[in-house]
Amino acid sequence: MKRFSLVLSLLAVSALAVAPLAYAAKFNKKVEIGQAAPDFKGLKGTDGKEYSLDGFKDAKALVLVFTCNRCPMAVAYEDRMIDLQKKYGEKGVQLLAINCNTGEGLDAMKERADSKGFNFPYVLDESQQSGKDFGATVTPHVFILDGERKIAYMGSLDDNMDDSKVQKHHVADALAAILDGKAPVTTETRQFGCGIRYQ
Amino acid sequence: MNLKKVDGSPFRAVLFLTLAVTFGCAPPPNSRSPAPVVRPAPSPEVRLRIANEKDLAELVTAQRGRVVLVDCWATWCGPCVKQFPHTVELHRRLADRGLTVISLSCDDPDNQEAVLKFLKRQQATFDNLLSRYGASEEGFNAFNIKTGALPYYLLYDRQGKLREDLGSGTRIEGLKPEELDKAVEQLLAEPAPQD
């Protein structure tokens, strides 16, 4: 009987050993919280510059927002993105908007950035690779990278398309935690918006 | 028209008007072949009600024995608006074979007038729901719209079991209407519950 218990215990311990220790993402099939952010390079901005992940070395946190020109949900969040950059930019946070939708183009994006007065870079990823690597599925879809460029939060910017009805400020809360040297309490939420269509 | 000018008495004026309205456009009393009165069938009214996930579940349960298609959509969603006529067409074509269609708008409840206007234009004469949560994370979670993107279709079999959830996902071509038709046809071909 003792031997049987020992075998059972060993089995239990080995089951634990092979169990995945990493946090399994609930709404993302590609990346997990805590993992190093996938790299991206040479994405063309509406300001004529090129942007890469390693070009933001000074940022205490990097907020990537996969967005686009046409999706009404993404458009509804533009002012909130501007506000975030305004509020957290002076605290060392940088927002980067990435468009990996097909058929919009840099000219249309430039027009959008100018007319809205984007205070953050707005880049085009024609290859769609960054969106694929991050598992971005909708616009807007947000990823916060901490100081070590690990994924600290992913999901929606907040919980309502109508900004007058927002109750949970996911991204603002996560940034506040990161700037305070803590891990965000909420690390993943369900992203919602317009589906990104990949070639 | 000044009624007093007819003969100075308002009562007589009303009588005159009543007679004129009653007989003015009627065929002559002795006409040999009176034109048959053709009344168009009253068109069912298009209604919209604000609902939560419990209301939707109750509606689906009440349809046991029928296949239920729930079209989750929104006026702000271009592909949804484009595909909505197809949902209306499925209702018209397959209701007799046992398909019940329900629409679930993920618009903000403040926009219900615009939603109803769209549904009327589409002649969506089935059950139309408007998510009480609007276009929010809570709504996408409550109705389990897994992709977080619309349009999204929930398909229940004749036993009332959720069998398919279809969305465009991230495919370049989106969700083809034929795919939806095929899924609906497959469930319609299944036998109804015996009890």
Side-chain angles (χ1 to χ4, degrees), chain B residues 62-127:
Chain B
Q63 296 296 321
R64 197 170 137 80
R66 294 175 66 81
V67 172
V68 180
L69 172 69
V70 183
D71 179 345
C72 308
W73 71 288
T75 57
W76 50 263
C77 160
C80 303
V81 168
K82 200 174 154 199
Q83 296 233 81
F84 201 89
H86 182 71
T87 299
V88 175
E89 194 260 328
L90 279 179
H91 165 70
R92 285 197 188 131
R93 187 158 54 86
L94 299 174
D96 288 349
R97 286 181 49 205
L99 178 71
T100 291
V101 170
I102 298 169
S103 82
L104 171 69
S105 160
C106 297
D107 282 88
D108 194 280
D110 288 352
N111 298 337
Q112 63 176 302
E113 261 182 53
V115 175
L116 185 59
K117 197 175 160 193
F118 174 86
L119 292 169
K120 281 185 173 169
R121 214 167 44 231
Q122 296 288 326
Q123 294 179 294
T125 54
F126 33 78
D127 276 302

Side-chain angles (χ1 to χ4, degrees), chain A residues 30 43 70 81 84 95 113 120-121 148 158 161 185 191:
Chain A
K30 199 77 189 176
L43 303 183
R70 293 182 194 155
M81 287 160 64
L84 267 176
L95 190 146
F120 46 80
E148 295 172 19
D158 59 36
M161 182 182 190
V185 175
Q191 63 274 19

